[in-house]
Amino acid sequence: MQDGLLTIGRFARLCRLSVKQLRHYDDLGLLAPRRVDAGSGYRYYAPEQARDALTIALLREMDLPLAVVARALAAGPEGRPAILGAERDRLAERIRRDRARLEMLDRLAQDGLPGYEVTLGREPERRLAVVRAVCTPAQIGATVQECMGRLLTRLGERGTTGQPPLWGLYPLDLEERMRIGVGAQIPQADGVPGLECAVLPGGPVAETVHVGSYAQLPLAYHALFAAVHERGLRPLAPVREAYLVGPAQAPPGECTTRLIVPVEESAA
């Protein structure tokens, strides 16, 4: 011990860490020794650095990214809860997605690909009052709920709810950042101040109906787009979802969603 400092070996034992871990933290810029001997290169740590060393080890054990660990340490006790809270929310969302994937894998393992009846028909032109937002594929569920809330609030302010059901509007490709919309059908002569008015053209479509949780909608889309391509058709945007029975009317397993893809004859 020199000037109250601890050798890296003693400090490692104090923190129940390995010397290798402490060297790694130093290399990453997470926890530098209090002093490094110029001649020997020996590292020395102050006892009060033990708390940061233990915090790093704990957060890394929970598989938090190094960038998050560094921000948490730099923020100090006052700013740390907000950073860790945001990371907790990110982890909870990842767990939710993983659970949804597990449910789909269980269903596929037990029953194989579910059968969906895909039909061809024609949709009339629809005029919608629409709220839009940009999100990632992982954020679709939360963003749709937020858009529905904004839409219904604005419609309620005008003394209307629109003609049910509510509609979801999506691009063909689920890109990292994509623009989606939620709309309600409104009378042809009406408009809703503060809301976009979108006209969905009528024409030929392929469609199917999904009964079950929204987390399992990819199974229905698999069947729908497979049928579209097998029939030599070209899908067009926007893909539409009509929420016939939502979580407010039935348990998640009994939600009913109509999936619609505008199509045209493929040029190929």
Side-chain angles (χ1 to χ4, degrees):
M1 184 182 300
Q2 297 187 12
D3 301 325
L5 299 181
L6 304 175
T7 65
I8 190 172
R10 289 197 62 183
F11 186 72
R13 289 192 295 274
L14 174 67
C15 299
R16 302 180 69 185
L17 299 171
S18 70
V19 170
K20 182 178 180 180
Q21 283 176 298
L22 289 173
R23 287 173 177 161
H24 186 53
Y25 297 161
D26 184 16
D27 292 341
L28 294 173
L30 291 176
L31 183 66
R34 186 60 54 85
R35 187 168 70 81
V36 178
D37 187 88
S40 65
Y42 290 164
R43 296 172 169 90
Y44 295 91
Y45 293 81
E48 58 268 24
Q49 290 183 282
R51 183 176 294 275
D52 281 348
L54 291 166
T55 298
I56 294 169
L58 178 63
L59 297 180
R60 289 299 291 149
E61 179 67 23
M62 291 188 289
D63 204 27
L64 266 66
L66 288 171
V68 174
V69 176
R71 289 203 308 273
L73 286 176
E78 293 183 356
R80 196 168 296 162
I83 294 172
L84 297 182
E87 190 62 20
R88 181 263 177 208
D89 293 343
R90 185 194 67 81
L91 178 59
E93 175 60 22
R94 188 177 73 188
I95 291 172
R96 186 196 64 77
R97 294 198 305 270
D98 286 344
R99 283 176 177 163
R101 294 187 184 106
L102 281 173
E103 290 177 4
M104 283 199 291
L105 285 174
D106 283 342
R107 183 171 176 181
L108 291 172
Q110 293 172 12
D111 306 321
L113 282 171
Y116 286 91
E117 181 183 1
V118 177
T119 59
L120 299 180
R122 294 190 67 86
E123 273 287 290
E125 178 181 284
R126 298 183 189 276
R127 190 168 182 263
L128 305 181
V130 177
V131 166
R132 297 189 188 272
V134 176
C135 66
T136 67
Q139 297 168 335
I140 286 179
T143 304
V144 167
Q145 290 299 316
E146 188 268 336
C147 285
M148 284 183 176
R150 288 166 50 201
L151 175 67
L152 293 175
T153 297
R154 185 56 60 90
L155 290 174
E157 292 171 351
R158 305 299 297 180
T160 182
T161 58
Q163 178 182 332
L166 293 179
W167 293 80
L169 307 176
Y170 304 94
L172 283 173
D173 300 320
L174 300 185
E175 299 175 345
E176 183 57 30
R177 300 292 293 174
M178 58 184 178
R179 189 169 176 82
I180 68 172
V182 174
Q185 193 164 348
I186 55 178
Q188 196 69 20
D190 286 356
V192 180
L195 293 177
E196 174 190 341
C197 181
V199 177
L200 301 182
V205 299
E207 64 175 283
T208 193
V209 174
H210 172 72
V211 178
S213 70
Y214 296 141
Q216 295 186 6
L217 277 171
L219 298 174
Y221 274 114
H222 175 277
L224 181 57
F225 278 100
V228 166
H229 292 297
E230 286 168 359
R231 298 180 192 191
L233 301 172
R234 186 166 73 92
L236 303 174
V239 175
R240 309 165 191 178
E241 292 179 2
Y243 305 110
L244 306 180
V245 178
Q249 293 84 40
E254 298 176 15
C255 291
T256 304
T257 309
R258 183 175 170 229
L259 281 61
I260 306 165
V261 178
V263 294
E264 67 178 13
E265 293 290 339
S266 176

